[in-house]
Amino acid sequence: MRSTLLSRIMADETQEAGGIHFPFPFTPYAIQKDFMAALYQVLEAGKIGIFESPTGTGKSLSLICGALSWLRDFEQKKRQEEERLLEAGAPTSSDGLAPALGPPPSCQGSPGTPEATGEPDWITQFVQKKEERDLVDRLKEEQVRRKKREERLQQIRHNAKLRFAAKRMRQEDEETERLLRLSSEMLAAGTEPEQVASGEEELVLAEYESDEEKGVPSGVDVDEDDLDEEHVTKIYYCSRTHSQLAQFVHEVQKSPFGQDTRLVSLGSRQNLCVNGDVRKLGSVQLINDRCVEMQRSKHERKSITEEEEPTRRRRRQEPRATCPFYSHERLQLLRDEVLAGVKDVEQLVALGKEARACPYYGGRFAIPAAQLVVLPYQMLLHAPTRQAAGIRLQGQVVVIDEAHNLIDTITNIHSMEVRGSQLCQAHSQLLQYTERYGKRLKAKNLMYIKQLLYLLEKFVAVLGGNIKQNPNTQTLSQAGTELKTINDFLFQSKIDNINLFKVRRYCEKSKISRKLLGFTERYGAVLVPSMEQPKLSGFQVFLQSLQPGATVAPATPAEAEEDRSPRPASPLMHVEGFLEALTTANQDGRVILSRQGSLSQSSLKFLLLNPAVHFAQVVKECRAVIIAGGTMQPVSDFREQLLAGAGVEAERVVEFSCGHVIPPDHILPLIICSGPSNQMLDFTYQKRGLPQMMDETGRILCNLCNVVPGGVVCFFPSYEYQHQVCAHWEKSGLLARLTIRKRIFQEPKKANRVEQVLLEYSRCIKHCGQARGTETGALLLSVVGGKMSEGINFSDDLGRCVVMVGMPYPNIMSPELQEKMAYLDQMLPRAPSQARPGKALVENLCMKAVNQSIGRAIRHQKDFASIVLLDQRYASPAIQAKLPAWIRDRVEVKATFGPAFAALRKFHREKAGLS
């Protein structure tokens, strides 16, 4: 392992590991070479890899250079295979490089024997020859498409004239659109006044036929065939946040692959939309719906024939807006610009604004030809979102980074909660919609709407409420939480006789929630005639309380200007999500009935117990899947809960874990079992609130602050306990003693204040380092699982010591956790000597949180820090086994505080010259 990072070497260096050449921007660490070699082998063998590389060891670059090196070699071998097949004119591949290139199963083995096929030799040979010719023709077409694409991208990269010509063309198109728009407005101004029902056609549901009645498979209609290409083998890289994805893209740009890799960054419409009128809607769902509506308007305009035009004019519909950024010609240009150079989401948005083309759709159209697709978790792990984005996983590689919370992420994505207020609001809106348009709806629509109204009524009833009364004023007779299996919930709600699959499909195909949203946007919350007000007055009062000022009359410009807050999505959309969740297999989920005093505050929540059912499709379709992170321990959760449940054989799973790049003497992990006054450190829930425990914690921190320079970050199990301890210290005077050596900062609960607190914390440490007075730095009191336990880097003086107070076990009394534990105890096998899976789950959740928090320190090779775990329970070998290897191998258990304090003082004195 090299002792220094040779970052000054500008020329790319090609490193060899395991006989494979890996381009790298500098001389890599030995562990990076091992990482890339192991990654390459997993991708080549088509396995599932669990990779752990501590923060600060260059994990992102190792992933980039290892995976793209494999893709480079794969593409080269595939091209060589294609050339060989074209020369020979027959598919004789045997290495499995590209299954699409190999002979069909019917041609393998001994295709010429009548016994193998059941056909005479001459028929078998004829079929085989035809398949060979078809394959050769496909390969030739593929080569032509690839050559055209490469030439097009080369022109964009190196010919600036093309860009200027395209920009001129965009300006001309923009001017033409402006003139046409002005002309349309002038013509519209001279027409007769609009009728009352003008523009309502789009709100009325079209005649509905189910897929079974149509006799055709369901699917999304797409008219972008001219933009579609065959999907090449690619790598899908996903991470948790957009900032992490942007950081990864920047690493790709700095890597040796930054110039030639076809990369596309995907995101939500909320992040990528460049249409100002749509963006100002605020809500993600509203932005999505308006975008889809505008595309549908554009497509409907195209489909109107000359014969239909007079009829359409007689209807005097209001013109429906289309998006000026959705143009096939511009999208083609944007797609090629995206593929011509590596760009993150911000750069993609800027490019979209310049090209007046939609970055959301431009990125989607670039997916087929891309080599590396960067996207957030939700877009990959949620099947409907994945399909809507045009992502095809068959035979592809998926890399899931920052995957320590992968199981929770999948669970949260597919869990759904709907409040009593939303149920009542959806019922009221749907009822009013039916009363207005009921006579214009077909029988099938009315049937499904009645089923939806019935479901909403029964959902409210099972909570103990009445659909005919205001949910804000309804007090429930019983409060508390009740947990049911899906089948029990359906029976108790008396909806077991309704086919939820058909209802869900109807909602999806008819887009009724979008119609309802347009209806309420057009008329506000109240639309019931005055003669019917007594029947629905409770709903009206409730809806008016949720949407102040909503009336039938349109808002004045002044009122519209004042109300700029994001509008909520249709409550029926939440109900649709809950209905979809109820179609999950009975054993894989539970329904939680939460009754909280009033009906509006109560809720129905679907809890997913088996995330493997949604991950199974990913591992089944993909060639290989990489699950990577800085702290993946303990990995048993991934193996047992996720992979085994998804049908992955144990032989297909490969684990790789590497040490840290820092020298062994740059870290001092200590487990302290008792404090300065010999008080045993037992931070169980029953004892942590005792005054002597809080006093001992304060005394330990006072001693640490005397010997640790710079910043000390102290993690507590919860916000409540942190505030309880601080209040006690203030009364006892310990807080004043702490402030002598360190200025104290506390993690805020509000996310918008985190940056300000971190900035002040950093400035304080920097100032104290320069002043060299009695105040030697700062103490940051944080919370495990809070804003600062993940994604924040406390490198160098910002985190010279990380303290963990107690063990952050989750709330064992939580109904959700208890049900999850019971589910695992029932479903997972275990040896007699092993702990119950449910108990192991609780310990693993705790230690994952600990590992994430203590990993905030030590961010690079020259960094150093001490890690102090305050609780005697950490001394258990079973608990220590769940620590990251680079900490576990160096941890020291101190039964008393004296030796621990001496070790800390010696460590920081010796390292004082390095800071």
Side-chain angles (χ1 to χ4, degrees), residues 899-913:
F901 180 73
L904 281 164
R905 181 170 52 192
K906 179 183 178 183
F907 174 81
H908 285 285
R909 280 181 178 176
E910 291 177 351
K911 297 296 175 291

Side-chain angles (χ1 to χ4, degrees), residues 827-848:
M827 301 300 293
L828 295 184
R830 70 181 181 100
S833 59
Q834 290 179 324
R836 289 185 298 106
K839 180 182 178 184
L841 169 69
V842 175
E843 287 186 353
N844 290 349
L845 288 172
C846 169
M847 292 309 297
K848 280 182 183 292

Side-chain angles (χ1 to χ4, degrees), residues 682-690 717-718 720-721 724 807 809-813 871 873:
D682 183 0
F683 290 94
T684 55
Y685 187 78
Q686 295 79 9
K687 296 183 179 179
R688 70 185 189 185
L690 297 174
S718 66
E720 291 72 20
Y721 186 57
Q724 181 184 1
M807 298 186 70
Y809 279 103
N811 180 11
I812 196 69
M813 302 307 295
D871 199 308
R873 291 174 292 176

